[in-house]
Amino acid sequence: MSAADFVVEPLTGALGAKVTGLDYRKITDVQFERLLEVWYRHLVVFLPDQPVDPPAQRDFAQRFGEVVDHPWDPAKIAEGTTLVPQPIAEDCTQIVRVIENSRADAWHADVSFRQQPTIGSVFQYVEGPASGGDTMWSSQYAAYEALSEPMRELLQGLSARHVGAATLTPKRGAVHPVVRVHPVTGRPCLYVNRTNTSYIIEMNRPESHALLRFLFEHSEQPRFTVRWRWTPGDLCFWDNRATMHHAVNDYGDERRVAHRAMIDGDRPAAYRPSPWKPIGDVPTHLSVGVSHFMAGPA
Ligand SMILES: O=C(O)CCC(=O)C(=O)O
Ligand SMILES: [Fe+2]
């Protein structure tokens, strides 16, 4: 094998790729460049059967950008909407979060209620039930591209408020374009999700409600998704800008553990600037999106 010579197997028509022939602890710069290309193209990349090694996971995640997390301190939560860089402790407990029984079983893009949602996560499955506990991802490029031209035109001029679970985020959340452009690929994608997206600011509430409901149902269709059945050791990294994900909660009381490092983000950019003005502020309790997993990661 030459330096960048690993094997890439696409998983579904929409997204996902399995990569074999690599140990994530020993990836050369040339291999990493190629892996980034695979990531941008397939959005969620799986490296099966990797050693569980949190410091190595931290180092690998840092190749994508700065590793960040929620400011769990309530005073900091109240302060603002940005994630904070994590102190780099040698034992990694600060930077590679242990995710136990995440129950994140509603479609979401991580922390979309923040001004700068993460660009992605490096996630390793450590232990879990003999069956069940799969995770699903959906391509929001594919969801966008499947819409009619008039619908795409309409959506390009809209923005939505995203609000997270009360324990995680200030009530004000963040406003993002409904269609964002991926800063690396330049491709437009849908950017609303059932967990965090509350309402479209340029529309009347009933219009916003109906349109968001349609968009949630549209973007969650099986034809836009991939589903991964985990084996302990599987490492994956997903693009959080052009995908949503959903952890399937079908394993009862069994234990399911993963390690996750989140990578600092950027401000979602609109595909086209909005020609319309917001219609005034509305109390956040009128949200359509409902956070189903108050205790889990968002
Ligand atoms: O547990 C999982 O499969 C995914 C959990 C999740 O939503 C996350 O880590 O962001
Ligand atoms: Fe998540």
Side-chain angles (χ1 to χ4, degrees), residues 141-187:
Y141 290 140
Y144 177 74
E145 284 159 15
L147 293 166
S148 67
E149 209 175 324
M151 179 58 91
R152 280 185 266 154
E153 280 278 317
L154 169 67
L155 297 178
Q156 281 171 19
L158 300 175
S159 338
R161 184 167 291 281
H162 294 237
V163 181
T167 49
L168 298 179
T169 182
K171 282 206 180 72
R172 63 181 178 275
V175 171
H176 298 305
V178 167
V179 180
R180 70 182 290 188
V181 58
H182 194 292
V184 179
T185 64
R187 291 175 67 187

Side-chain angles (χ1 to χ4, degrees), residues 68 78 118 162 173:
V68 289
T118 48
H162 294 237

Side-chain angles (χ1 to χ4, degrees), residues 104 108-110 238 245 260 293 297-298:
H108 64 283
D110 287 330
W238 68 80
H245 55 280
R260 183 186 71 182
F293 52 97

